[in-house]
Amino acid sequence: MATQYKNLIGGEMVTTDRWLDVVNPATEQVIGQVPHCGKPELDRAVAAARTAFKTWKNTPIEERRAAIQAMSAAIKANADELFRLLTSEQGKPHDQARGEIYGAAAMSAAQSTLSLDDEINEDSDTRLSRTRRVPVGVVAGIVPWNFPVMMAVQKIAPAMLSGCTIVLKPSPFTPLTTLRIAELIADVVPAGVVNIITGEDDLGPLMTSHPDIDKITFTGSTATGKKIMEGASADLKRITLELGGNDASIVLPDADPKKVAEQLFWSSFSNAGQICVAAKRVYIHEDIYDELSAAIVEYAKTVRVGDGSEQGTGVGPIQNKKQYDRVLELIEDAKDNGYKFLLGGNVDPSGTGYFVPLTIIDNPPEDARIVAEEQFGPVMPLMKFSSEEEVIARANASEYGLAGAVWTGNPENGVKIAEQLETGTVWVNEYLHLSPFAPFGGHKQSGFGAEYGKEGLKEFTYAQVITVKKDNVPA
């Protein structure tokens, strides 16, 4: 029988009489079961969070910091167990899973050091006015399946630090590691401050419409984000939405193909391409296109696709069947349209596991589905460009605006191009780097609000202005 995991509600580990199966995407075998929660369990978790909020909001910030740091320490102390569990449910290779676990511990500890100090608006002979930040209240966090632990802590940590309490819903595809962390922190975090419950996708709308939830923080697709925004509008819940992207990488002619080929590969294929800020459109200047595309293909041939738990695996499976079928559909569409494949494209859907071979497509048109849509899989379209003006326009011709990258031998020129890209983050000569001290959020349909940094922390607070008229004391 598969291991059964419990939810965390009001400081207690609890179950229900209904269960959801969790499948290993490499083997398609059930590896665990989690509670199948609905409205009664959600009501209980929200009530616990509401009760805890009454005292947590007045808890000194140093104590809140200490609780976050204790959570971070618990994750780090159990990293070996956690990263292996993460690979079994998510599919990513052990090295990448280890990086996520240690990264989650480090990022949450770093976020605990942030502060939102009072701001003095006026301090004159007649008036003192200051702005302070006060916690929003009970937060609902909804987490995706691609980075389930990292995305969980980047919602839990700022909620706790701001003085909010949180009810977190992991993806039903990848809840196991998060629930194991719930066990580890049950005695570390005050009861009701962090609650973690599991359920299917229908639990999300119940959270969005719940009258005692004050804020929604969501990471996932733009389509779902729009539904959350619409649902939250009924009672004006605060929202933070980190949504999809169709990120462009621009490789200028002064970049050395031998130096950037491997980095470009991993900017697209890390976590089997299942990263919201992965390079999903790669524009290469025509002067180096042939040399660089050949170098990327040659490197790709050295990378093994397989079970993430096996030594030597570089790229694991797609995490779930629905996304696997979508990636196959996009590959088939590219074939049907006669696009040239430099590598991959041949998938055996009869095999075990949701494996897609590394696929690189040669110069498809801008209106190709594989270019215009977010693939979220191990498929890399390479496109030629001839001028900076042209490639900037092509990169910006998207409803998305999450991240992008510029690769160049002249970083100053790279910055000039970066400043013209319509995205929330642009890297010059690197990829996938996020800082706990810098805001992360999308432009256009890639998001609403920000995570990380002081801007992200403010998302969990209201501004309150207190003004004292000094020369009007009725005494």
Side-chain angles (χ1 to χ4, degrees):
M1 182 178 176
T3 303
Q4 293 184 327
Y5 293 76
K6 298 180 179 180
N7 285 182
L8 175 60
I9 298 179
E12 299 179 358
M13 303 304 299
V14 301
T15 64
T16 65
D17 56 2
R18 298 189 301 160
W19 297 87
L20 296 173
D21 291 339
V22 179
V23 172
N24 182 328
T27 66
E28 299 184 54
Q29 298 298 307
V30 174
I31 56 171
Q33 291 185 315
V34 300
H36 185 175
C37 294
K39 188 177 185 300
E41 293 80 17
L42 175 61
D43 286 345
R44 180 180 171 188
V46 172
R50 178 64 60 190
T51 298
F53 177 64
K54 296 174 183 177
T55 53
W56 184 248
K57 66 180 180 180
N58 296 317
T59 300
I61 192 168
E62 288 305 326
E63 291 184 31
R64 302 202 296 261
R65 285 197 178 104
I68 298 168
Q69 290 164 2
M71 177 183 72
S72 169
I75 294 172
K76 188 173 181 179
N78 294 274
D80 190 67
E81 172 198 355
L82 294 173
F83 85 73
R84 295 177 191 280
L85 181 58
L86 178 57
T87 290
S88 71
E89 64 172 337
Q90 202 282 330
K92 63 185 64 179
H94 274 165
D95 283 349
Q96 294 177 34
R98 185 185 291 109
E100 179 174 349
I101 296 299
Y102 279 106
M107 290 292 259
S108 55
Q111 282 184 286
S112 75
T113 66
L114 295 170
S115 61
L116 297 176
D117 298 326
D118 289 2
E119 296 182 10
I120 301 300
N121 311 308
E122 179 184 350
D123 188 2
S124 64
D125 291 340
T126 60
R127 183 177 290 105
L128 174 63
S129 172
R130 65 184 173 95
T131 302
R132 62 193 288 259
R133 308 300 304 196
V134 297
V136 166
V138 175
V139 174
I142 304 175
V143 177
W145 44 259
N146 59 332
F147 283 88
V149 177
M150 182 67 81
M151 300 295 180
V153 300
Q154 77 182 43
K155 298 180 187 328
I156 293 171
M160 291 177 62
L161 184 62
S162 67
C164 293
T165 56
I166 186 168
V167 178
L168 188 88
K169 175 194 172 296
S171 165
F173 294 120
T174 54
L176 303 184
T177 312
T178 307
L179 291 186
R180 179 67 185 110
I181 291 171
E183 288 185 72
L184 297 172
I185 67 172
D187 296 328
V188 169
V189 175
V193 172
V194 176
N195 307 272
I196 302 176
I197 64 173
T198 48
E200 293 187 320
D201 290 344
D202 58 359
L203 184 58
L206 293 176
M207 300 174 87
T208 303
S209 62
H210 200 289
D212 274 338
I213 288 175
D214 304 297
K215 174 183 171 62
I216 306 286
T217 172
F218 167 80
T219 301
S221 72
T222 294
T224 303
K226 290 178 180 179
K227 293 178 182 177
I228 288 173
M229 193 170 190
E230 182 179 2
S233 69
D235 51 6
L236 293 181
K237 286 182 174 63
R238 269 44 188 175
I239 54 173
T240 301
L241 306 175
E242 198 271 278
L243 307 177
N246 195 3
D247 307 69
S249 279
I250 298 170
V251 189
L252 299 180
D254 57 4
D256 184 344
K258 296 182 178 63
K259 291 184 178 179
V260 302
E262 181 178 343
Q263 297 177 78
L264 277 169
F265 173 88
W266 288 114
S267 73
S268 286
F269 290 107
S270 293
N271 200 30
Q274 300 166 117
I275 305 179
C276 57
V277 291
K280 302 180 183 74
R281 297 178 289 153
V282 180
Y283 295 98
I284 303 172
H285 193 275
E286 59 189 6
D287 289 353
I288 60 169
Y289 181 88
D290 290 343
E291 182 182 359
L292 180 52
S293 60
I296 294 171
V297 169
E298 286 308 304
Y299 179 79
K301 291 177 180 177
T302 70
V303 178
R304 175 186 167 191
V305 176
D307 189 327
S309 66
E310 296 176 356
Q311 187 172 2
T313 295
V315 174
I318 298 295
Q319 199 286 317
N320 59 79
K321 182 66 161 57
K322 182 180 179 181
Q323 182 62 23
Y324 173 74
D325 289 341
R326 171 173 158 70
V327 175
L328 296 194
E329 178 190 334
L330 290 173
I331 291 174
E332 285 304 310
D333 179 78
K335 288 181 177 179
D336 292 344
N337 281 281
Y339 305 144
K340 180 181 178 183
F341 285 70
L342 299 176
L343 186 70
N346 297 315
V347 183
D348 179 10
S350 65
T352 300
Y354 307 135
F355 295 104
V356 175
L358 303 176
T359 299
I360 300 175
I361 301 177
D362 181 27
N363 204 30
E366 287 290 330
D367 61 355
R369 287 188 62 195
I370 203 67
V371 178
E373 300 180 23
E374 183 181 22
Q375 312 98 355
F376 228 65
V379 185
M380 179 191 231
L382 306 178
M383 284 88 74
K384 292 181 185 178
F385 74 92
S386 58
S387 73
E388 292 181 3
E389 182 180 18
E390 169 209 339
V391 76
I392 291 168
R394 290 169 68 183
N396 286 338
S398 172
E399 64 186 16
Y400 297 110
L402 192 55
V406 182
W407 299 87
T408 175
N410 181 348
E412 290 185 3
N413 188 46
V415 170
K416 290 179 181 178
I417 292 176
E419 290 174 343
Q420 298 176 70
L421 297 182
E422 298 167 355
T423 66
T425 297
V426 188
W427 297 289
V428 177
N429 294 336
E430 69 171 341
Y431 62 98
L432 307 184
H433 170 74
L434 298 178
S435 166
F437 306 115
F440 174 68
H443 295 185
K444 298 189 277 190
Q445 294 192 36
S446 282
F448 192 94
E451 295 185 302
Y452 293 131
K454 288 188 175 182
E455 288 86 349
L457 184 57
K458 283 182 179 180
E459 299 266 330
F460 293 83
T461 67
Y462 293 121
Q464 182 185 54
V465 177
I466 295 178
T467 302
V468 177
K469 191 74 162 66
K470 295 179 180 179
D471 60 354
N472 191 32
V473 179

